[in-house]
Amino acid sequence: MASFRFPRVLNDVMLAHSNQFIRPTKPKNGVGSFIFPCRKLVFNYCERSGSSTNMLKYLQTRAIQFAHENPQIEVVVQPRPSKHPIIRAHYTNGLQKTKCLRGVQEDEIPEVVKSLRDHSGMRLRRWKKYVVSDTPSVRGIYSPFHDKDSHEISDLKPKPKSH
């Protein structure tokens, strides 16, 4: 299979201005591979506390399975004496989210872990604009109700008589 080669003059121009033609891209979702937002989960528990019994049961039965199913997330288990059990999630944008598991049943813990895993890491806020875009449109969001004349059925209207 023949490879494509630029003409010699164009090749010299490209080599002279190579920094203008090739620009590095920032890693972000949608370009290349998917970047998982949650990078680390830290499970903290107390060995003697009664509020940590459900957490200990979860760690003994289901935590290893979760770690095998999600190899992209670092799973750390640490004792935290005389404190309630918590799960702390670290995200790629540098933020952390902590969830206390005091009084949470053993079968509810996987739901908490899944919600921390699936969270984007962004702070919750009220959206004033419902469309987030790198290149915003001048005209705004399209709706078929903006231009009513182009969406009317013209066959059912009586046509004006010409004299």
Side-chain angles (χ1 to χ4, degrees):
M1 183 176 197
S3 62
F4 179 76
R5 293 184 64 190
F6 288 107
R8 186 173 189 183
V9 175
L10 189 58
N11 197 13
D12 292 340
V13 170
M14 285 191 66
L15 287 175
H17 302 286
S18 62
N19 61 349
Q20 294 176 2
F21 291 109
I22 301 171
R23 294 189 178 120
T25 60
K26 289 191 308 186
K28 65 179 182 176
N29 286 332
V31 178
S33 63
F34 177 71
I35 301 168
F36 209 78
C38 182
R39 64 178 178 84
K40 183 179 181 180
L41 283 174
V42 180
F43 293 86
N44 291 330
Y45 67 96
C46 178
E47 295 174 350
R48 294 172 290 164
S49 172
S51 62
S52 293
T53 55
N54 292 329
M55 173 73 126
L56 285 170
K57 288 178 188 175
Y58 173 79
L59 291 174
Q60 292 169 352
T61 57
R62 300 184 191 172
I64 295 172
Q65 178 185 358
F66 174 79
H68 285 298
E69 291 173 356
N70 300 291
Q72 71 276 9
I73 299 175
E74 179 184 355
V75 177
V76 179
V77 178
Q78 293 176 342
R80 188 172 171 234
S82 303
K83 303 281 184 182
H84 291 296
I86 62 168
I87 300 176
R88 181 174 287 124
H90 299 265
Y91 297 99
T92 53
N93 60 1
L95 295 178
Q96 297 178 9
K97 188 173 182 182
T98 304
K99 184 75 176 170
C100 181
L101 296 178
R102 181 185 70 185
V104 177
Q105 298 300 319
E106 182 186 355
D107 55 343
E108 297 171 359
I109 294 177
E111 296 171 10
V112 173
V113 172
K114 185 176 182 274
S115 70
L116 288 172
R117 180 197 68 182
D118 295 342
H119 193 264
S120 66
M122 300 293 289
R123 287 197 167 93
L124 296 177
R125 63 182 175 123
R126 184 171 165 244
W127 292 92
K128 293 182 181 176
K129 295 183 179 179
Y130 297 105
V131 177
V132 179
S133 174
D134 293 338
T135 56
S137 172
V138 176
R139 293 181 169 188
I141 302 170
Y142 172 75
S143 172
F145 301 110
H146 288 156
D147 187 20
K148 68 174 188 168
D149 294 335
S150 65
H151 297 286
E152 290 180 356
I153 300 173
S154 60
D155 297 338
L156 301 177
K157 288 184 177 181
K159 295 182 180 178
K161 294 180 181 179
S162 58
H163 295 275

